[in-house]
Amino acid sequence: MAQVGYSKKVMDHFMNPRNVGVIEAPDGYGKVGNPVCGDLMEIFIKVKEDKVEDIKFRTFGCGSAIAVSSMVTEMAKGKSLEEAMKITRKDVADELDGLPPQKMHCSNLGADALHAAIEDYWIKTGKIRPEDAKHKQGQEEEEGESCGI
Ligand code: FES
């Protein structure tokens, strides 16, 4: 992955990803797929006092997807659920000092899986109805550009 166009932060989070793993019996679980490359992302959260107390991810994604998920878990940890829900795909890419244009679609997975996990928690606790969730479990998100791997 030592290619031109990857920031130092992307390389750091790819080589040393934070919060990798699974939380047993999570309060919220999100799983999304990327229709461009077929990669998958799962995010698990533990919630305490309406905050993201713990968060882990597991992905069958590329290096950029790993860096993005690592970063999104760092950004969400300790935030209130409402704040974490506002983290956008672009916020994550910006926080990584950008991604090469052909890799921008990989940044979708992290934020989408996070939002799906929060919505899963909100459904379980009765805050929203399942039909109101914007991120359906396992559903592929909208099309992006091919990453050309
Ligand atoms: S997430 Fe599939 S190529 Fe990046």
Side-chain angles (χ1 to χ4, degrees), residues 34 37 39 61-62 65 103 105-106 109 147 149:
N34 189 323
C37 57
D39 289 337
C62 66
K103 284 283 172 186
H105 81 274
C106 309
L109 282 179
C147 59
I149 47 171

Side-chain angles (χ1 to χ4, degrees), residues 87-136:
I87 298 172
T88 64
R89 301 161 168 182
K90 184 175 178 304
D91 291 339
V92 184
D94 287 351
E95 200 64 32
L96 283 167
D97 294 336
L99 283 168
Q102 72 274 23
K103 284 283 172 186
M104 278 307 287
H105 81 274
C106 309
S107 69
N108 299 352
L109 282 179
D112 289 348
L114 170 66
H115 298 164
I118 294 170
E119 285 185 331
D120 178 49
Y121 174 74
W122 281 343
I123 290 168
K124 282 182 187 157
T125 53
K127 184 176 158 113
I128 61 169
R129 294 174 305 165
E131 55 269 35
D132 295 331
K134 293 194 189 81
H135 299 85
K136 306 278 187 266

